[in-house]
Amino acid sequence: MDEGRHDDEAMLSQLEALLADGRGCEDPVLLSELLAMLHGLRREADIASLRYQKLFNAVPDPVSLIDADGRVVDLNTAGELAYGLPRDQIVGNLIHVINPDLPPDHMAPVLETLARKRTHVVEVYNKRADGSRFPVEVHSARFEDGPQQFVIAVARDLTGRREAEENLNTLLSVMDKGVLVQDRDGHALSANAAAMRILGLPEDEGIASSLRWQDWLVVDHRGWPLRFGELPPQRAARTGRIIESTLMGVYHTGRKQLTWLSATSVPQFRAGESSPSRVISLFSDVTELKRDSALFLRTQALARIGGWEWDGGRERLYLTDEALRIIGRREDPPRTLEDALAQVDGADRPRVEEALQSVLRDGGAFDMEIRLRQPDGQSHWARLIGQSEGRAPMTARITGVLHDITQRRQIEEALRSQARTDALTGLFNRDGALTELERRVMEGEGGLTVVYIDLDRFKLVNDLLGHAAGDQLLVNAARRLEGCIGENDILSRFGGDEFLVLADTRDDPGAAEALAARITHAFGDSFRYAGEEFTITTSVGLARYPEHGATVQQLVNNADAAMYDAKRRGRNTWQTFTPELARQQHDRVQVEAQLRRALDNEEFRLVFQPLVNLADGRVRSAEALIRWRNPALGELSPDLFINHAETTGDIVRIGAWVIQSACRQMAAWRKAGLAPARMAVNVSYRQFLTEDLVPLVAQCLADNDLPGEVLELEFTERVLIEDAPDTHRTFEGLRQLGVVLTIDDFGEGYSALNYLRRLPIHGLKLAQAFLQGVPGNQSDTAICQAVAGIAEALGLDLVAEGVESSAQRDFLLGLGVRTGQGFLFSPPMDPDGFAAYLRQTTG
């Protein structure tokens, strides 16, 4: 409740108390009416506030409310979805959290424009939580809330429009027809390459500067001069109608060159306007045709348009030469409709016959695209247009044109194929696979199994050998998968190192399992790249339609869950979706839903485990460990919820809370004279990827009056693999604060010794998994000896975690390891228990 509302509530309470008391109130009736009116106003205010929130969140585009300093005051639901961040990670921060490219003074032009009572519009690139950028058009307007003034900014995602513009530009660039765009006054705005070539203009200059109408003389088909206002584009702009197929000659006075054009001009209207805002003209160079005596026939041939006529009175069919060429019957022209219809593809023939009968019976016209089969077996696409010219038996006549549109359809199909195809592997991409899966589900095709495939350890190869090796691996993997699938199966690269197969299992219920077995077997042989040999296996998940899902999303999600179950079981295997996996998915959703509210509900607590001197058992430092007790789910192991938190990104907020809480506890112990030498805190790799870790640590140290060396941050080797400039800057910032940096679970991840000498790392933690087998297991013993040798050679501290027996402690002391932690000494304890343990071991 804000301060103003709090004051209002206090005043209402005082008035109600006064009315209840009855003393000191000269007119209780008036006071009662006043209270009723005030309560009514409060309800109206609450309703208005609720209506504002509903309207605010109903806007489908991201909407931000920003103060004059550029700080986000409010954000609607669409904004959270667009940026992939929860509202509380954006609200209260500068707008740079979603647009880091803005200059420091970015608010100045916005406020200046709004002061003139105008809307400020700008195109920028906003950032999602995963770091990707997307283009937006931001409309900003002034928003007044009482005495306060804000900027309300609506961001419209331009990704679809940009893609459409790219597709249009691609189509225009491959067209052999000239396309010229002019405004309503005739000024040239843009032109494609064919237009510049036809008009003889330099393609490296803009059309606006190179097309000067004073250099041209324009004549009609008879050679009579045309004024500027009589040209097809100006007529279309003036009348608002399409001006079709106008023949005109354009003479360039400087080059003394005459070019004949056949042009069509189409007016374009803005929404809500009755006058055209611009005109698009499509034209062809018909100079040679004009010189020919058979201009009409030559024009048809150039435009791939043939004429035809059906004379019902004589029952004769007439076709021009171009029409005969299109149907492939120049040598043997058809004379009847039945003969010509034989060239129409069987799938399209009923539509054509029905259209012809309708026109002959009722008049009118038809316009359709059909496939033609020429006598030599070649297939063409054609646009068939026909119009009735009479219905009496002796005058029934249909005239029309036949337009060869094969090239256009090929371009369209190429663009559609490109949009559905993965450029690297040549397989279907994610959109193509989902479109095909949706079609099959809508048609209710049984015997369909979704096979989800993930390449195990692909990131390791990509990180160690580079992206070129990763790309080559994906191509080779695609070829192996192609050798596994059946003739009716569809294979796609679903994203990254994931593939999807839509397996046709109608004839064999066990075909999906056999396919999964072939896939895992196909990856048994190693891959080679640049002299390196490495093994990549697969984890495969299966989900059947409709048993395991009735929608596209359910099938993909359930196949994905089965794949992750196969990965959990050790990789290089396959699993079919089961009700148990469905339950696990439900549990995961529950955990993630509860996890997002856990921090605000104060459900987390810290426990502390001592790190002791292995020789005498004295406490050297403490490690802060998080625990979570949820009212609905009970006590949850960190192994369960930490992975979810890293997946959802909640680990950043939770990790910040752990650092803050650990520093407060350390300060309390120091004040009581019981503090260990250092406090260790685990830090997620996701915290290293943000820009907030160094300022957060600095603030926590300052707030609790702690020197940097009392704080130790433990991180896994995944942080090192990122090897990003931001990560290096974070390490440097922490080093300058004096914070101790330790690699946790050393040896379990993607160990790269190069990082140990390049980064300011102070120590290593020997992974508990390697300590379990010592001193009896020869392999574990050798690994421990190797890690101890590395630490000693590089001058790094080495801590052993998971020490549970005296034999393990003695073995570590023999290696020269001085510090350890584990149940041999103490389990994790609450702050009071840890303080008591400190007193016991130091007393």
Side-chain angles (χ1 to χ4, degrees):
M1 180 180 297
D2 58 30
E3 184 177 351
R5 181 181 177 91
H6 181 77
D7 293 342
D8 293 345
E9 295 291 347
M11 182 183 71
L12 286 173
S13 298
Q14 292 174 0
L15 291 175
E16 288 173 344
L18 182 61
L19 180 62
D21 184 41
R23 292 176 296 177
C25 177
E26 296 181 358
D27 192 342
V29 174
L30 178 60
L31 181 59
S32 177
E33 292 175 352
L34 176 60
L35 275 172
M37 180 180 68
L38 290 177
H39 279 297
L41 291 174
R42 168 54 59 199
R43 285 193 297 272
E44 291 178 4
D46 290 342
I47 292 172
S49 176
L50 181 60
R51 184 184 300 115
Y52 158 77
Q53 287 297 331
K54 287 184 177 180
L55 290 173
F56 190 57
N57 289 318
V59 179
D61 294 320
V63 181
S64 308
L65 195 63
I66 306 167
D67 64 18
D69 296 328
R71 195 172 304 279
V72 181
V73 177
D74 202 354
L75 179 74
N76 69 346
T77 303
E80 293 185 87
L81 297 175
Y83 305 128
L85 286 171
R87 179 178 176 276
D88 57 9
Q89 289 191 22
I90 297 178
V91 172
N93 293 312
L94 293 175
I95 195 67
H96 294 83
V97 71
I98 56 176
N99 192 336
D101 300 327
L102 289 174
D105 60 343
H106 67 95
M107 291 299 295
V110 178
L111 297 176
E112 180 183 350
T113 302
L114 300 186
R116 299 197 304 269
K117 297 184 178 181
R118 295 184 178 179
T119 300
H120 185 271
V121 182
V122 64
E123 289 190 12
V124 295
Y125 280 84
N126 278 356
K127 185 178 75 171
R128 301 185 180 94
D130 61 5
S132 62
R133 309 295 179 96
F134 63 104
V136 293
E137 182 180 73
V138 182
H139 292 251
S140 299
R142 182 157 55 184
F143 177 78
E144 297 180 356
D145 184 10
Q148 295 180 308
Q149 294 190 3
F150 302 97
V151 176
I152 187 164
V154 181
R156 174 62 55 84
D157 192 339
L158 300 180
T159 304
R161 191 175 80 183
R162 293 281 176 85
E163 291 177 353
E165 290 173 352
E166 290 177 3
N167 291 339
L168 176 61
N169 290 334
T170 300
L171 183 60
L172 290 177
S173 65
V174 300
M175 288 178 60
D176 60 353
K177 306 292 190 298
V179 179
L180 175 65
V181 182
Q182 299 169 261
D183 62 18
R184 68 177 69 190
D185 297 322
H187 299 113
L189 301 177
S190 63
N192 68 344
M196 302 294 282
R197 183 178 65 255
I198 292 172
L199 296 176
L201 301 176
E203 295 187 18
D204 56 349
E205 295 184 13
I207 186 67
S209 59
S210 59
L211 183 59
R212 294 181 292 272
W213 289 110
Q214 60 268 28
D215 297 337
W216 297 82
L217 173 65
V218 184
V219 299
D220 65 12
H221 65 283
R222 298 165 297 181
W224 293 357
L226 289 174
R227 291 176 299 178
F228 184 81
E230 298 172 335
L231 298 180
Q234 279 59 58
R235 290 168 55 199
R238 185 172 61 253
T239 64
R241 299 178 180 178
I242 299 175
I243 307 301
E244 296 183 342
S245 303
T246 301
L247 182 65
M248 59 183 180
V250 291
Y251 178 76
H252 193 275
T253 56
R255 296 195 304 267
K256 301 187 183 306
Q257 179 179 340
L258 175 65
T259 303
W260 286 96
L261 304 178
S262 176
T264 295
S265 296
V266 181
Q268 302 289 301
F269 298 83
R270 291 196 183 100
E273 295 185 1
S274 59
S275 298
S277 61
R278 62 179 186 174
V279 176
I280 300 178
S281 298
L282 182 71
F283 56 91
S284 302
D285 184 352
V286 294
T287 304
E288 296 298 326
L289 301 178
K290 185 68 172 67
R291 294 170 183 163
D292 197 287
S293 58
L295 173 62
F296 180 67
L297 294 178
R298 294 284 300 276
T299 302
Q300 282 191 338
L302 182 66
R304 296 178 179 266
I305 298 176
W308 62 274
E309 181 181 80
W310 165 249
D311 186 342
R314 295 186 176 87
E315 294 191 354
R316 292 292 305 270
L317 178 66
Y318 300 92
L319 298 102
T320 65
D321 286 346
E322 182 61 16
L324 291 172
R325 184 200 66 79
I326 293 172
I327 67 173
R329 295 281 297 272
R330 275 184 172 174
E331 303 300 326
D332 180 23
R335 298 300 181 189
T336 65
L337 274 178
E338 291 74 14
D339 193 8
L341 286 172
Q343 308 303 132
V344 179
D345 186 271
D348 295 329
R349 197 175 303 159
R351 290 194 302 125
V352 178
E353 292 174 342
E354 182 180 354
L356 289 169
Q357 292 172 4
S358 175
V359 168
L360 286 172
R361 181 180 64 251
D362 304 320
F366 61 84
D367 185 343
M368 64 181 66
E369 294 184 1
I370 61 174
R371 285 162 295 183
L372 298 174
R373 300 289 180 182
Q374 295 187 348
D376 60 3
Q378 293 187 24
S379 177
H380 291 270
W381 278 95
R383 181 182 180 186
L384 179 64
I385 301 175
Q387 183 171 355
S388 172
E389 299 206 4
R391 281 177 290 172
M394 298 301 296
T395 60
R397 189 186 302 269
I398 304 175
T399 59
V401 296
L402 190 66
H403 184 191
D404 188 345
I405 58 172
T406 303
Q407 185 179 22
R408 194 202 80 196
R409 292 297 293 253
Q410 288 173 342
I411 294 173
E412 291 175 353
E413 182 58 33
L415 291 174
R416 281 194 294 269
S417 177
Q418 184 178 4
R420 298 193 306 263
T421 302
D422 174 55
L424 179 64
T425 62
L427 304 175
F428 270 111
N429 59 17
R430 184 186 187 91
D431 289 339
L434 291 177
T435 299
E436 180 61 22
L437 178 57
E438 184 175 14
R439 182 190 67 78
R440 295 191 178 191
V441 169
M442 289 183 64
E443 293 177 358
E445 290 188 11
L448 170 65
T449 301
V450 175
V451 183
Y452 206 118
I453 305 159
D454 180 82
L455 303 185
D456 302 325
R457 294 168 54 84
F458 170 78
K459 180 171 172 38
L460 174 61
V461 175
N462 204 49
D463 289 337
L464 297 182
L465 299 183
H467 292 295
D471 288 347
Q472 187 60 50
L473 171 59
L474 290 172
V475 172
N476 291 341
R479 302 292 84 82
R480 290 193 185 186
L481 292 173
E482 284 178 327
C484 297
I485 65 174
E487 182 179 350
N488 297 323
D489 299 341
I490 291 180
L491 171 65
S492 68
R493 182 188 174 198
F494 207 56
D497 61 339
E498 297 174 334
F499 296 82
L500 200 74
V501 178
L502 307 183
D504 184 354
T505 55
R506 286 173 293 187
D507 299 330
D508 182 3
E513 286 78 3
L515 171 61
R518 289 197 301 273
I519 290 173
T520 54
H521 178 74
F523 284 78
D525 295 335
S526 59
F527 291 83
R528 291 182 177 274
Y529 179 81
E532 298 284 346
E533 183 174 345
F534 48 89
T535 299
I536 294 294
T537 58
T538 58
S539 296
V540 183
L542 310 177
R544 292 187 176 86
Y545 173 79
E547 297 97 309
H548 299 151
T551 68
V552 169
Q553 199 60 49
Q554 288 175 345
L555 286 168
V556 173
N557 288 347
N558 292 344
D560 183 36
M563 180 273 291
Y564 272 105
D565 187 52
K567 194 176 288 289
R568 182 180 62 82
R569 294 173 183 268
R571 301 183 174 92
N572 194 28
T573 186
W574 55 271
Q575 290 294 324
T576 301
F577 184 76
T578 63
E580 174 62 19
L581 285 178
R583 187 191 64 78
Q584 293 176 8
Q585 276 190 306
H586 178 264
D587 291 346
R588 183 170 69 246
V589 171
Q590 277 196 317
V591 169
E592 292 178 359
Q594 296 291 336
L595 187 62
R596 297 207 169 152
R597 298 188 291 267
L599 193 57
D600 296 330
N601 293 341
E602 299 182 350
E603 297 174 10
F604 292 119
R605 61 187 175 89
L606 291 184
V607 294
F608 304 89
Q609 187 173 32
L611 281 72
V612 304
N613 186 317
L614 293 175
D616 57 19
R618 290 181 176 272
V619 176
R620 288 191 164 182
S621 58
E623 180 176 4
L625 302 169
I626 191 170
R627 296 292 184 264
W628 179 26
R629 174 174 288 278
N630 179 264
L633 304 177
E635 189 82 24
L636 284 90
S637 167
D639 292 338
L640 175 62
F641 69 83
I642 290 298
N643 287 336
H644 288 299
E646 288 193 331
T647 301
T648 62
D650 293 318
I651 192 65
V652 176
R653 286 185 65 222
I654 295 172
W657 176 85
V658 171
I659 295 174
Q660 293 165 347
S661 301
C663 287
R664 282 197 299 269
Q665 185 60 61
M666 187 65 171
W669 280 336
R670 284 166 65 92
K671 185 176 180 180
L674 294 171
R678 188 178 299 146
M679 175 73 75
V681 177
N682 289 287
V683 181
S684 166
Y685 79 98
R686 279 188 174 271
Q687 292 174 266
F688 273 84
L689 298 180
T690 69
E691 299 177 357
D692 299 332
L693 182 58
V694 175
L696 169 69
V697 171
Q699 188 65 47
C700 291
L701 293 174
D703 290 345
N704 295 281
D705 195 23
L706 297 175
E709 59 268 17
V710 305
L711 181 62
E712 178 178 1
L713 298 183
E714 297 181 2
F715 53 90
T716 63
E717 291 160 288
R718 182 168 183 178
V719 173
L720 306 179
I721 287 300
E722 298 295 337
D723 197 22
D726 290 343
T727 306
H728 286 264
R729 284 194 293 270
T730 300
F731 271 106
E732 181 59 27
L734 295 172
R735 186 192 67 79
Q736 292 179 5
L737 292 174
V739 174
V740 178
L741 301 172
T742 299
I743 301 178
D744 194 15
D745 294 331
F746 183 75
E748 282 193 343
Y750 310 125
S751 302
L753 301 182
N754 183 43
Y755 295 112
L756 299 182
R757 65 177 182 83
R758 289 200 297 112
L759 296 175
I761 297 168
H762 301 89
L764 308 176
K765 255 195 170 180
L766 181 63
Q768 181 178 358
F770 301 132
L771 194 60
Q772 292 176 347
V774 299
N777 185 286
Q778 185 176 0
S779 298
D780 287 348
T781 299
I783 291 175
C784 292
Q785 291 170 339
V787 174
I790 292 172
E792 181 180 6
L794 296 176
L796 301 175
D797 292 335
L798 182 61
V799 176
E801 57 182 347
V803 182
E804 298 181 352
S805 68
S806 298
Q808 291 174 337
R809 179 189 59 188
D810 296 341
F811 170 79
L812 292 169
L813 286 171
L815 291 181
V817 180
R818 297 191 300 264
T819 307
Q821 67 183 111
F823 278 60
L824 177 63
F825 310 107
S826 172
M829 298 170 284
D830 61 25
D832 293 339
F834 189 88
Y837 186 85
L838 275 175
R839 294 188 185 96
Q840 176 185 347
T841 56
T842 57

